[in-house]
């Protein structure tokens, strides 16, 4: 029986990218054709439609996003994977909103792209049509080029146009409210209000009135009727921050709003109907709260329709320089400081800190440093003492720990080898340590050479050269925990 190879159309105005992808996909068993622009891709699609299109965003004449929209409107059985060297929040969200199967950033690992294309080929013909959405308003961009944040952007793009409840999870300061704003701005409710309620910041005896409003005379001090946040948010989105701090009695009323879209004001009898999308957030382990009977299980399932996890800053430190640049640029207008840059030593200190307060702590740190800086450069002296001291202690502790380890493991070996003539001890140890270190980094990253190079702090080309020189086997698989 003849097996027909899945057809892939690679679209990029860069000849080298097309060549590399064609070779890799052809080797994996795909039938590959190439186009160098959006219009050429559409022509090829009409003549001989492929199963998968792998397409760049930035091309002359027609952008990849416009070509994607055209393809999705005419051929919903074709999976489209978007490629770009500009890994921005807007591009990732827009690609997913317009119906892309996935979104990858350059430079990429060809093995990963091949695996992604294979997965798309297995699902060709299944994706639903892209949702129509209203024009989005301007919101503060979320800064992040790391793989973790690209997944967050793709999740936002997938869910923004679907009118379902979203649960945002992550440590304090990771930007949950900002993500909620971006979801709202890319939804069909963008013309409606976006209302925020922080359950942890409002006294418990006032929270019910804040959420549902009250009638005149409902309690001491209720001198007039007041609309609650759910009424104010009618037709839009309500963001319930720190939902895990809400009392069980209020949780029952939130559940009713989600189920029936109705509630009564405090002290009132009239049933009020609202049309509101709920986005909730918590930094707590909500499953533990459910197990401890401090959070309603039925409400948890209602809120957890589409969960999004926001990683802490310490787990995406490759984003730190971009965040620093973003805040410096944003605050120079607010503070009137003019252009500023961060000295290499100050940047090293920022990178050496683990940021328990996450992006919010970094934002405040940069603003303070800009106020204290009298020149156009942020120097180490402008950074908080605890940051400088902690970074220094962490670095010293790591250096000392490594030295102790090497002394313990190599001490006996060195003493034995001093009696061996012509042992070439230096080159023997260095080559063995280098080979072992690289092999361990590859195992820890599941064979991902890009991530392994980042972990080791070396160039990817250097890593490839070392793998070849030292004959290190590279096995693809799950990264070590």
């Amino acid at each position: 029986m003849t097996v027909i190879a899945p057809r892939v159309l690679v679209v990029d105005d860069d000849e080298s990218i097309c060549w590399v992808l064609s070779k890799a996909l052809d080797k994996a068993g795909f039938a590959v054709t190439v186009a160098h622009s959006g219009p050429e891709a559409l022509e090829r699609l009409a003549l001989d439609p492929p199963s998968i299109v792998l397409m760049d965003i930035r091309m002359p004449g027609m952008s990849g996003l416009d070509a994607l929209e055209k393809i999705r409107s005419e051929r919903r059985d074709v999976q489209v994977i978007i490629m770009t060297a500009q890994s921005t929040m807007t591009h990732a969200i827009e690609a997913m909103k317009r119906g892309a199967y996935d979104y990858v950033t350059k430079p990429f690992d060809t093995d990963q792209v091949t695996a992604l294309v294979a997965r798309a080929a297995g699902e060709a013909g299944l994706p639903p049509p892209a949702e129509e959405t209203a024009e989005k308003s301007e919101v503060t961009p979320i800064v992040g080029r790391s793989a973790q944040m690209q997944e967050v952007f793709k999740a936002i793009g997938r869910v923004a146009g679907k009118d379902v409840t979203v649960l945002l999870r992550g440590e304090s300061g990771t930007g949950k409210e900002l993500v909620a704003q971006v979801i709202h701005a890319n939804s069909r409710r963008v013309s409606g209000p976006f209302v925020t309620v922080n359950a942890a910041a409002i006294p418990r005896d006032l929270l019910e009135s804040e959420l549902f409003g009250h009638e005149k005379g409902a309690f001491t001090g209720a001198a007039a009727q007041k609309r609650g946040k759910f009424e104010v948010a009618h037709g839009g989105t309500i963001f319930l921050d720190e939902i895990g701090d809400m009392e069980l009695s209020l949780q029952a009323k939130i559940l009713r709003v989600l189920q029936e879209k109705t509630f009564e004001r405090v002290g009132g009898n009239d049933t009020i109907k609202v049309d509101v999308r709920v986005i909730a957030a918590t930094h707590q382990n909500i499953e533990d709260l459910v197990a401890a009977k401090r959070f309603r299980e039925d409400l948890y399932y209602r809120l957890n329709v589409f969960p999004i996890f926001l990683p802490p800053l310490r787990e995406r430190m490759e984003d730190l320089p971009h965040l620093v640049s973003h805040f410096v640029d944003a605050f120079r207008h607010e503070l009137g400081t003019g252009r500023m840059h961060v000295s290499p030593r100050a940047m090293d200190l920022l990178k050496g800190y683990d940021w328990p307060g996450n992006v919010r702590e970094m934002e405040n740190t940069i603003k303070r440093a800009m106020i204290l800086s009298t020149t156009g450069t942020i120097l180490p002296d402008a950074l908080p003492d605890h940051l400088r001291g902690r970074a220094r202690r962490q670095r010293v502790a790591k250096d000392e720990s490594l030295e102790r380890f090497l002394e313990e493991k190599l001490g006996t070996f060195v003493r034995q080898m001093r009696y061996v003539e012509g042992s070439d001890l230096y080159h023997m140890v260095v080559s063995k340590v280098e080979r072992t270190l690289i092999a361990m980094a590859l195992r820890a990253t599941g064979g991902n050479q890009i991530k392994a190079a980042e972990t080791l702090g070396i160039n990817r080309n250097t890593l490839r050269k070392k793998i070849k020189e030292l004959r290190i086997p590279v096995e693809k698989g799950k990264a070590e925990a």
Side-chain angles (χ1 to χ4, degrees):
M1 182 176 67
T2 303
V3 178
I4 301 174
R7 293 191 299 279
V8 180
L9 174 61
V10 176
V11 189
D12 200 309
D13 60 330
D14 187 328
E15 292 275 4
S16 63
I17 293 291
C18 291
W19 184 86
V20 168
L21 287 173
S22 296
K23 290 293 182 184
L25 293 169
D26 181 69
K27 184 178 179 181
F30 294 97
V32 185
T33 53
V34 170
H36 299 294
S37 68
E40 184 184 352
L42 296 176
E43 288 178 13
R44 290 188 177 277
L45 201 75
L47 294 172
D48 187 20
S51 301
I52 302 100
V53 176
L54 194 57
M55 181 162 55
D56 190 32
I57 282 185
R58 291 183 178 274
M59 294 183 293
M62 175 185 281
S63 75
L65 290 177
D66 290 338
L68 163 64
E69 194 161 32
K70 184 77 172 171
I71 293 169
R72 299 302 292 139
S73 67
E74 297 178 358
R75 296 301 305 259
R76 291 173 181 164
D77 58 326
V78 176
Q79 300 282 31
V80 182
I81 298 169
I82 290 293
M83 305 181 291
T84 181
Q86 306 295 322
S87 52
T88 65
M89 175 194 79
T90 304
H91 281 166
I93 292 173
E94 200 60 34
M96 303 314 290
K97 278 177 60 183
R98 297 194 192 191
Y101 176 79
D102 212 327
Y103 171 98
V104 295
T105 57
K106 302 175 183 176
F108 42 68
D109 188 304
T110 54
D111 290 341
Q112 288 181 312
V113 174
T114 301
L116 178 60
V117 171
R119 190 163 71 247
E123 299 179 22
L126 296 181
E131 295 279 351
E132 291 294 325
T133 60
E135 286 294 314
K136 61 179 182 294
S137 60
E138 289 297 318
V139 295
T140 303
I142 306 171
V143 178
R145 300 184 184 182
S146 62
Q148 298 97 316
M149 290 309 296
Q150 292 303 311
E151 291 302 315
V152 171
F153 298 156
K154 288 189 281 188
I156 293 171
R158 289 187 176 107
V159 78
K162 316 293 189 299
D163 209 18
V164 299
T165 306
V166 178
L167 180 61
L168 305 177
R169 308 184 65 165
E171 296 177 8
S172 295
T174 49
K176 295 186 286 294
E177 183 173 351
L178 185 55
V179 169
Q181 291 173 356
V182 173
I183 292 173
H184 172 73
N186 286 275
S187 74
R188 291 174 290 182
R189 295 176 176 269
V190 63
S191 58
F194 176 84
V195 177
T196 297
V197 181
N198 189 322
I202 301 172
R204 294 188 175 189
D205 55 343
L206 296 179
L207 185 55
E208 182 177 2
S209 170
E210 191 72 17
L211 288 168
F212 304 112
H214 61 253
E215 298 292 348
K216 181 179 179 181
F219 50 83
T220 302
Q225 184 191 76
K226 176 188 174 183
R227 296 168 69 214
K229 298 295 188 183
F230 272 99
E231 278 186 84
V232 175
H234 179 73
T237 302
I238 188 167
F239 174 54
L240 302 178
D241 199 6
E242 300 302 351
I243 192 79
D245 288 296
M246 193 174 288
E247 289 187 334
L248 288 168
S249 58
L250 270 182
Q251 291 177 28
K253 296 189 177 185
I254 297 291
L255 180 64
R256 181 188 171 195
V257 176
L258 288 171
Q259 290 176 332
E260 303 174 15
K261 308 292 185 186
T262 61
F263 63 90
E264 288 83 33
R265 295 192 190 103
V266 176
N269 297 315
D270 295 336
T271 298
I272 299 168
K273 190 171 183 66
V274 288
D275 173 25
V276 174
R277 180 188 195 172
V278 174
I279 300 176
T282 181
H283 73 281
Q284 301 186 63
N285 187 319
I286 206 161
E287 290 83 4
D288 287 349
L289 296 179
V290 170
K293 307 296 183 185
R294 290 166 50 201
F295 200 89
R296 293 181 63 110
E297 188 174 14
D298 47 3
L299 177 58
Y300 166 61
Y301 290 125
R302 279 281 180 177
L303 294 173
N304 200 42
V305 175
F306 193 91
I308 299 177
F309 174 75
L310 301 184
L313 180 55
R314 64 182 174 276
E315 292 182 6
R316 58 179 187 105
M317 290 298 282
E318 61 264 49
D319 288 333
L320 186 140
H322 307 295
L323 284 163
V324 171
S325 177
H326 168 75
F327 289 132
V328 168
D329 190 56
F331 293 145
R332 72 183 179 90
H333 300 291
E334 178 185 333
L335 302 175
T337 60
R339 292 191 176 276
M340 274 196 171
H341 75 276
V342 181
S343 74
R345 180 64 188 132
M347 183 63 78
D348 286 343
L349 289 171
L350 294 171
K351 290 177 179 178
Y353 186 56
D354 59 5
W355 299 103
N358 292 297
V359 178
R360 186 185 295 130
E361 182 185 6
M362 166 175 278
E363 180 180 6
N364 294 332
T365 297
I366 296 300
K367 179 179 281 190
R368 174 184 180 275
M370 291 178 70
I371 293 171
L372 293 174
S373 298
T374 56
T375 66
T377 302
I378 295 175
L379 300 171
D381 288 348
L383 300 178
D385 290 341
H386 73 273
L387 187 151
R388 285 180 287 160
R390 185 166 183 172
R392 185 162 50 250
R393 288 193 300 274
Q394 287 175 337
R395 185 172 61 256
V396 170
K398 288 176 182 177
D399 289 347
E400 290 177 349
S401 176
L402 181 58
E403 285 180 11
R404 285 195 302 271
F405 173 79
L406 290 173
E407 285 177 6
E408 179 184 337
K409 299 298 181 183
L410 290 175
T412 303
F413 178 71
V414 171
R415 285 192 294 273
Q416 291 173 345
M417 291 300 292
R418 62 180 173 168
Y419 301 111
V420 179
E421 211 173 307
S423 61
D424 196 14
L425 181 60
Y426 174 81
H427 292 99
M428 180 191 301
V429 172
V430 169
S431 64
K432 288 292 184 184
V433 169
E434 186 176 39
R435 189 178 194 281
T436 302
L437 184 62
I438 293 173
M440 289 173 67
L442 288 167
R443 284 199 301 273
T445 58
N448 186 317
Q449 294 184 30
I450 295 175
K451 291 182 179 178
E454 289 174 355
T455 301
L456 293 165
I458 62 177
N459 184 277
R460 186 182 172 196
N461 291 331
T462 302
L463 176 61
R464 283 179 169 171
K465 182 180 177 183
K466 291 293 183 182
I467 289 171
K468 187 175 181 180
E469 285 179 359
L470 301 172
R471 299 180 181 178
I472 301 172
V474 180
E475 296 180 6
K476 300 290 181 179
K478 187 177 180 181
E480 292 180 352

